[in-house]
Amino acid sequence: MAGELQLQPRLQLLAHLVPQGAKLADIGTDHGYLPAYLLQKKQIASAIAADIGPAPLEHARRTAAKYGVEKSLRFLQCDGLAGIGPEDADTIVIAGMGGETIIHILSQAPWTKEGKVLLLLQPMTKQEDLRLWLNENNYAQYAERLVWDKGYLYPVFTVFGGSQTALSAGEIYGGLDIEVDPLGKEYLTQRIRRLEQAAEGLLKGSDPANGHRAQELKEIIHVLTERRNAL
């Protein structure tokens, strides 16, 4: 067996957020680093490494064997949460994929909104779309945590099933409770820049509707700028 597995910062943050004794399902596990690390640390009771493709699962099997946890890790080739139910996991990690893919996975597993499972979601793109979808589909999102990894600032959503007050535009585009995170100001700066670029692009087009949308984005930029200035 090799020595202690080391995680990149993004996966390390996810590992920190997984509760002690959890029954983990890691969806889109890729090389299986997260469940292998948590099993090696004896932080979790059980783990499922799930991926839609056979190649990532083979990588995960090699990782588990290398770090001596192959007997404690269940490997499952499936589309999202297909074949996984509430009896299998109380903590689900869906990380390293686009927000639209995360939405698809959760929409196919309505049991995740029953309030009995912790969802740790790390969208690479479409973060505002995912926040809005969660809010409109009976999921309650709590504080987000942020981490720099390979030159990009990633948010991790902490989510449970259950209704929640409708989010404001500032929350949809700027995140929830990020003021308590040391990287909150940098994240807001990043989001503001992206919205400014989007607004500029819209104004270059000839569609009259673009001007209206650009104005909406400018209003959101103003809200996010006020949030950032308050930090």
Side-chain angles (χ1 to χ4, degrees):
M1 183 181 74
E4 184 176 310
L5 178 58
Q6 301 295 319
L7 298 180
Q8 64 190 63
R10 182 173 60 87
L11 293 180
Q12 187 64 62
L13 174 58
L14 286 161
H16 175 73
L17 295 172
V18 173
Q20 183 71 36
K23 295 167 61 179
L24 175 72
D26 183 28
I27 309 304
T29 194
D30 195 19
H31 283 70
Y33 292 137
L34 180 63
Y37 173 88
L38 291 169
L39 285 168
Q40 193 180 49
K41 290 285 189 180
K42 302 187 186 304
Q43 185 175 327
I44 56 178
S46 64
I48 297 171
D51 208 288
I52 195 169
L57 285 181
E58 184 57 35
H59 291 313
R61 287 189 178 94
R62 289 200 291 266
T63 297
K66 180 178 180 180
Y67 292 100
V69 297
E70 66 272 27
K71 294 181 180 179
S72 303
L73 186 52
R74 175 186 168 196
F75 302 94
L76 184 62
Q77 184 178 347
C78 61
D79 182 1
L81 285 159
I84 300 174
E87 69 281 0
D88 298 312
D90 56 28
T91 302
I92 295 171
V93 171
I94 310 177
M97 58 189 75
E100 68 278 14
T101 303
I102 296 175
I103 289 171
H104 169 74
I105 290 171
L106 293 178
S107 67
Q108 299 301 307
W111 59 268
T112 57
K113 65 176 68 176
E114 294 175 359
K116 299 178 181 179
V117 61
L118 166 64
L119 302 172
L120 297 174
L121 311 177
Q122 188 274 297
M124 305 291 279
T125 60
K126 305 285 187 180
Q127 296 161 13
E128 59 273 12
D129 292 352
L130 179 57
R131 291 187 188 103
L132 181 60
W133 185 87
L134 290 167
N135 189 239
E136 292 180 342
N137 285 273
N138 207 37
Y139 291 91
Q141 185 182 338
Y142 296 90
E144 296 180 21
R145 291 296 172 262
L146 303 163
V147 60
W148 278 108
D149 195 338
K150 297 180 180 178
Y152 192 83
L153 186 55
Y154 295 99
V156 174
F157 299 1
T158 300
V159 180
F160 289 93
S163 60
Q164 187 177 37
T165 303
L167 299 183
S168 67
E171 290 171 325
I172 292 169
Y173 284 88
L176 280 75
D177 198 30
I178 62 167
E179 285 79 4
V180 301
D181 192 289
L183 296 173
K185 190 170 186 176
E186 292 179 72
Y187 182 70
L188 288 171
T189 297
Q190 182 187 87
R191 305 316 294 174
I192 289 167
R193 286 174 181 166
R194 286 178 176 269
L195 290 173
E196 287 174 340
Q197 291 170 356
E200 290 172 4
L202 285 168
L203 291 175
K204 292 177 182 178
S206 58
D207 189 337
N210 287 356
H212 178 69
R213 179 56 180 160
Q215 183 58 40
E216 290 179 341
L217 293 182
K218 288 180 180 180
E219 292 172 2
I220 296 168
I221 290 168
H222 176 72
V223 172
L224 297 187
T225 301
E226 288 190 332
R227 283 185 74 181
R228 183 185 62 183
N229 292 342
L231 294 179

